[in-house]
Structure formats: structure tokens, C-alpha cells
Amino acid sequence: SRLPPQDRVRKGISFVPQTRNVFSELTVKENLEVGAFLRNDNVEKVIEEIYELFPILKEKSSQIVGQLSGGQRQQVALGRALMIRPTVLMLDEPTAGVSPMVMDELFQHILKVKETNVGIIMVEQNAKQALSISDRGYVLVTGENKFEGSGKELLDDPEVRRSFLGA
């Protein structure tokens, strides 16, 4: 659409880009406050909700984000995007550049967000793990939709498994 970004946010759409998704020179709490720029209510209450979802952020609330690990920075990015209480959260490669252990942890956090009834649209290279938590999946091949179905259907599809999941 031609809506400016702030109007998209007002409609309940939040986005976490793959890169440059935090303000490295600000603290964790300041990053969350930036995410609440359109809110008119009690921002502290929403920050506490984010801390419940991502407990490490409460522990590191006054720490400069640039000093955090990659996984912790991703949690800050997710938390900031959730500050508007979106109905839809778009994630671009949320696990790019993180270790396998951090990747597992981030997927657990994405599941926690999903349990709060936020719709999640995610582009992710780690197809196996992404499909394992997806209600619906699409596999793109050279920019075209080649396969679609539930996450389970795609994980069980022999062609998808052979071509994309290393099975």
C-alpha cells in the first residue's frame, strides 16, 4: 500500500528487519520506549509485559544494546516491535547470523509471541525449523511460490524434503 510506515503501525503491523533492527547506542529500555512512539497509554506497563516475555531484557534493561549478544539484540528487536501490541508481526530472517543454539532460543521466543495471538509472517532460510512452528508455509523457488501448505504438510512432502530440507 501507499500508507506511510507510521500509519501501517497504527493499523497493527510491526516489522523486524534482518539487519539494523536495534539502536545499538541506546539501552534496552530506551529501545523499547522507541517502539512505543505511537502509544498514548502506560508505556511502563507494556515494557513490563515485554520483560515477562523476554526475561533477560529486564535483567539488562539499562545495558547499551551494542554490548549484548546477537540473540539478545534479536530479543530487543522483537520486544521493540511488540511495544505497539501489533496484530501482525513481520520478521525478516530473524535467525540470520546467529549460532544454532541461539537459533533454537529465538524460535522458542517466536513461539511465545505466537501464543499471545499475534499473527507472524516470517521469511526464514532455516526452512526445517521455521516450518516446524508454522501454521502455513510457502516455499519460494527463484522468486515464485513452488510449494504451499501447513508446516507439517511441507515437512512431510518428499519433494520439499529432498530439495530443501536435506532429507
Side-chain angles (χ1 to χ4, degrees):
S1 81
R2 297 190 195 301
L3 284 177
Q6 65 272 20
D7 291 342
R8 293 176 196 176
V9 171
R10 281 188 189 99
K11 290 191 175 286
I13 300 170
S14 201
F15 174 61
V16 178
Q18 178 178 347
T19 59
R20 298 186 186 150
N21 56 17
V22 293
F23 296 100
S24 305
E25 67 285 354
L26 300 179
T27 67
V28 168
K29 187 173 185 198
E30 289 168 338
N31 266 272
L32 296 178
E33 290 169 342
V34 167
F37 74 101
L38 291 176
R39 297 193 69 88
N40 296 322
D41 59 350
N42 186 348
V43 173
E44 291 301 317
K45 180 179 180 219
V46 183
I47 288 174
E48 284 304 317
E49 291 171 10
I50 300 303
Y51 289 160
E52 285 177 30
L53 201 55
F54 307 109
I56 192 69
L57 299 185
K58 183 171 191 165
E59 186 180 313
K60 303 208 178 254
S61 66
S62 60
Q63 190 165 341
I64 299 296
V65 170
Q67 300 170 349
L68 299 177
S69 71
Q72 291 167 346
R73 283 193 302 269
Q74 280 297 85
Q75 290 179 58
V76 172
L78 285 169
R80 193 181 69 232
L82 293 171
M83 286 297 295
I84 63 149
R85 290 190 175 132
T87 53
V88 176
L89 176 62
M90 299 187 320
L91 304 174
D92 183 13
E93 300 283 350
T95 66
V98 299
S99 70
M101 186 166 48
V102 171
M103 185 182 313
D104 290 342
E105 182 182 329
L106 284 171
F107 273 107
Q108 290 307 310
H109 287 299
I110 291 167
L111 276 172
K112 281 192 216 173
V113 171
K114 182 179 170 188
E115 290 167 5
T116 67
N117 292 323
V118 173
I120 299 172
I121 299 171
M122 176 172 48
V123 174
E124 177 59 54
Q125 292 291 323
N126 185 335
K128 193 174 206 175
Q129 203 153 7
L131 289 172
S132 73
I133 68 168
S134 296
D135 295 323
R136 187 112 190 113
Y138 300 86
V139 178
L140 302 179
V141 178
T142 60
E144 292 188 27
N145 188 17
K146 178 90 168 149
F147 303 95
E148 68 179 270
S150 72
K152 181 174 177 6
E153 289 168 347
L154 291 170
L155 285 170
D156 292 342
D157 183 301
E159 191 173 349
V160 171
R161 291 177 63 76
R162 185 176 52 259
S163 300
F164 303 100
L165 304 177

